[in-house]
Amino acid sequence: MKILAIDTSGQNCSVAIIDEEKVICDFNLSIGTTHSETLLPMIDEVCKTSKIDLSEVDVLACGIGPGSFTGLRIGIATIKGFALAQNKNVIGVPTLDALAYNIANFDGLICSVLDARNNNVYAGIYKYENDKVILQDDYITENLDTLIDILKSKNEKVMFVGDGAVSFKEKFRETLNEKALFAPLHLNNQLSSSVAKAA
């Protein structure tokens, strides 16, 4: 099965095609242009480069937020247009779930966290089990201190991923000490390959 996935929920614009065994093609751009200018050319280029026509794709997947309202509208409208034109099924993937898929085989908690401004966060706490990330509790849309209190109560090491991992790195280190670990910088972007894996 081939999946074409996009993510436009953040500053990174991302398009990928994967199958059950591998990432076939994966393009990411974070150059400050709007997704409305880059998304369609990127989809076209991914299809050309991989020599896979859109008609050969089995399923379409899209990051559905939380994230930039304008970016999400562009991505969802684009994927819906392709789905209608090609009569394809679409899978919507929460951005926090996809971010957790950026971290593979971690033995501890994975905390996808997005900076919602004013010391607030969007977050999800996951465990990696049997090649899947499993959400451990409800999504968290609270202030940063609430998230930290929840993580302290779990008393496990935590791998942070997402732009909130960068924004609040010092606070996480200060409050969770050696239990706070951080994804490499390039994994903090929303990635379409992870949207496809989650789908």
Side-chain angles (χ1 to χ4, degrees):
M1 176 179 12
K2 292 183 180 69
I3 299 176
L4 182 141
I6 66 170
D7 195 296
T8 56
S9 63
Q11 292 192 353
N12 192 47
C13 187
S14 184
V15 180
I17 297 177
I18 74 165
D19 63 19
E20 296 93 340
E21 298 173 355
K22 62 190 173 299
V23 176
I24 297 168
C25 193
D26 185 9
F27 286 179
N28 297 287
L29 275 179
S30 190
I31 56 173
T33 55
T34 63
H35 299 327
S36 61
E37 296 172 14
T38 56
L39 181 58
L40 288 173
M42 286 175 69
I43 292 170
D44 185 51
E45 195 60 38
V46 163
C47 290
K48 283 180 184 172
T49 302
S50 64
K51 296 181 173 61
I52 295 172
D53 190 79
L54 202 54
S55 63
E56 299 172 77
V57 171
D58 300 294
V59 175
L60 303 171
C62 182
I64 58 170
S68 156
F69 180 67
T70 301
L72 289 167
R73 282 190 317 163
I74 291 165
I76 292 168
T78 300
I79 216 75
K80 281 179 73 175
F82 281 127
L84 287 170
Q86 295 285 326
N87 195 27
K88 303 285 184 189
N89 289 325
V90 175
I91 298 173
V93 175
T95 301
L96 295 169
D97 294 4
L99 277 168
Y101 272 93
N102 289 4
I103 308 300
N105 299 317
F106 180 69
D107 181 27
L109 298 174
I110 300 167
C111 182
S112 298
V113 58
L114 296 173
D115 185 347
R117 299 190 182 151
N118 298 319
N119 220 38
N120 294 309
V121 295
Y122 301 114
I125 300 170
Y126 303 83
K127 281 266 199 181
Y128 193 83
E129 301 170 7
N130 301 320
D131 294 329
K132 293 182 182 176
V133 293
I134 309 297
L135 185 66
Q136 299 299 293
D137 299 300
D138 291 334
Y139 295 110
I140 299 160
T141 57
E142 295 282 343
N143 64 47
L144 179 61
D145 292 331
T146 301
L147 172 62
I148 289 170
D149 288 343
I150 291 167
L151 292 170
K152 277 182 174 177
S153 73
K154 294 188 179 295
N155 199 29
E156 291 187 64
K157 59 186 175 180
V158 182
M159 176 70 71
F160 291 97
V161 62
D163 66 13
V166 177
S167 299
F168 304 118
K169 188 173 193 173
E170 291 312 311
K171 180 79 170 182
F172 290 137
R173 274 197 177 136
E174 175 189 309
T175 54
L176 298 170
N177 302 311
E178 72 282 349
K179 290 189 170 122
L181 304 168
F182 300 91
L185 193 59
H186 68 284
L187 294 179
N188 287 315
N189 285 329
Q190 295 90 326
L191 301 174
S192 56
S193 55
S194 292
V195 170
K197 288 179 212 168

